[in-house]
Amino acid sequence: MTTRSPACTPAPQPPGRAVRRTLPNISTAARATLAVLWCWAGWAKIQDPTASLQAVRAYRILPETLVAPVGYGIPALELALAGLLLAGLRIRLAAVLSALLLSGFLAGIVQARARGLSIDCGCFGGGGEVDSAQTHYLREVLRDAGLLILSAWLTRWPASRFSLDAALR
């Protein structure tokens, strides 16, 4: 049995050319997906601010004095995130904020289910109390968990194609 000396051990190689070319493509797709999602969600809520307030209120987490600031603030934040991601500006920051927002939404959905509330999440407009047969908690949790993975991806690998971040470097 022969042993290799440390001098004979090959040095780790940097990622191959194919990997270096693929990561920005995946990041671009993740960025576009999140941008479309945040734009859709924010725009839907801005179209009907009363329903947005109703959705926030239905979770029964916040005191009434915070319902309006949160109900009006979330759509503005979602549209701002969509703009940053679409432009590819401050991608890592937008991804972190996206992850934080999605984590808050996940916590809200899980606590609503755990407390036995029957609500529509209000993620894409509407929202509020519904019949228990109309709840879709599992689907909402899986969707938000998948989007959280995309946000985590962009936090780790923000470099993507067609971004202002790349143009400004």
Side-chain angles (χ1 to χ4, degrees):
M1 179 166 142
T2 61
T3 61
R4 286 185 162 187
S5 69
C8 295
T9 305
Q13 297 297 313
R17 178 184 255 165
V19 170
R20 286 191 309 255
R21 291 168 84 184
T22 303
L23 289 177
N25 292 334
I26 294 170
S27 294
T28 303
R31 202 180 92 216
T33 300
L34 287 169
V36 167
L37 164 99
W38 291 128
C39 186
W40 177 16
W43 186 253
K45 290 176 187 127
I46 281 184
Q47 296 304 304
D48 189 357
T50 304
S52 182
L53 295 177
Q54 179 180 323
V56 170
R57 193 174 284 118
Y59 282 93
R60 299 183 196 162
I61 298 173
L62 299 173
E64 189 60 32
T65 57
L66 292 179
V67 169
V70 170
Y72 295 131
I74 286 176
L77 178 58
E78 290 171 338
L79 289 171
L81 285 173
L84 288 173
L85 290 165
L86 190 61
L89 185 62
R90 305 291 302 200
I91 297 170
R92 182 169 279 138
L93 173 65
V96 168
L97 292 174
S98 179
L100 290 171
L101 194 55
L102 286 163
S103 296
F105 290 163
L106 275 166
I109 292 166
V110 168
Q111 73 79 32
R113 171 66 176 100
R115 292 175 49 208
L117 301 177
S118 296
I119 62 172
D120 174 357
C121 72
C123 299
F124 299 98
E129 295 191 28
V130 296
D131 184 70
S132 62
Q134 294 177 303
T135 60
H136 304 285
Y137 294 123
L138 180 59
R139 182 176 70 196
E140 293 161 356
V141 164
L142 292 175
R143 178 199 60 221
D144 287 356
L147 295 168
L148 187 57
I149 289 169
L150 292 180
S151 296
W153 175 276
L154 281 177
T155 299
R156 175 64 179 96
W157 294 286
S160 58
R161 309 232 184 269
F162 315 111
S163 71
L164 285 177
D165 281 352
L168 295 173
R169 266 189 257 150

